[in-house]
Amino acid sequence: MQRTLIVAKMDAANADAVAALFAKSDASELPHLIGASRRTLFRFHDLYFHLVEAGEDITDGLYKARSTELYKELNTGLSEFISPYDPNWREPKDAMATPFYHWEA
């Protein structure tokens, strides 16, 4: 299982709106285009954490999906509620956390 954690800023009051955007998107073909099998959204104060789980690395699928209308629609909707944590953000990989420890039973 591959996991990708995306970190950004979000006003906690917008959690329901963001969840609704993802619910609509997850009912479409977009998660399959990216290669995602599970998504979990977290919030902590003004932080947003987006955990994507997949059978393999989603990076290639994510970059390919960026040119689709499904991705553009989701991205446009999210831009109203989500802002980059890093002000130098340029592309999705700039918001991805780097794992530094893993344990499994």
Side-chain angles (χ1 to χ4, degrees):
M1 178 69 57
Q2 293 288 316
R3 293 175 182 91
T4 302
L5 181 64
I6 299 163
V7 180
K9 294 181 182 179
M10 176 189 80
D11 183 330
N14 294 324
D16 289 343
V18 170
L21 287 168
F22 274 108
K24 179 180 177 189
S25 175
D26 289 340
S28 76
E29 186 64 23
L30 187 57
H32 306 287
L33 294 173
I34 293 170
S37 58
R38 184 178 300 176
R39 176 187 329 281
T40 308
L41 304 177
F42 300 87
R43 64 177 175 81
F44 181 76
H45 300 285
D46 67 340
L47 294 177
Y48 157 91
F49 301 93
H50 178 168
L51 177 64
V52 179
E53 296 175 274
E56 57 188 48
D57 188 353
I58 64 164
T59 304
D60 289 342
L62 178 61
Y63 281 91
K64 288 176 187 172
R66 288 178 76 191
S67 64
T68 68
E69 287 305 313
L70 291 170
Y71 181 93
K72 290 175 186 176
E73 180 182 330
L74 176 61
N75 194 50
T76 298
L78 290 174
S79 68
E80 183 178 340
F81 306 111
I82 306 292
S83 61
Y85 179 81
D86 179 356
N88 297 315
W89 186 94
R90 290 189 177 89
E91 57 183 303
K93 74 175 185 173
D94 295 333
M96 293 179 185
T98 304
F100 62 95
Y101 176 81
H102 176 78
W103 177 87
E104 190 170 324

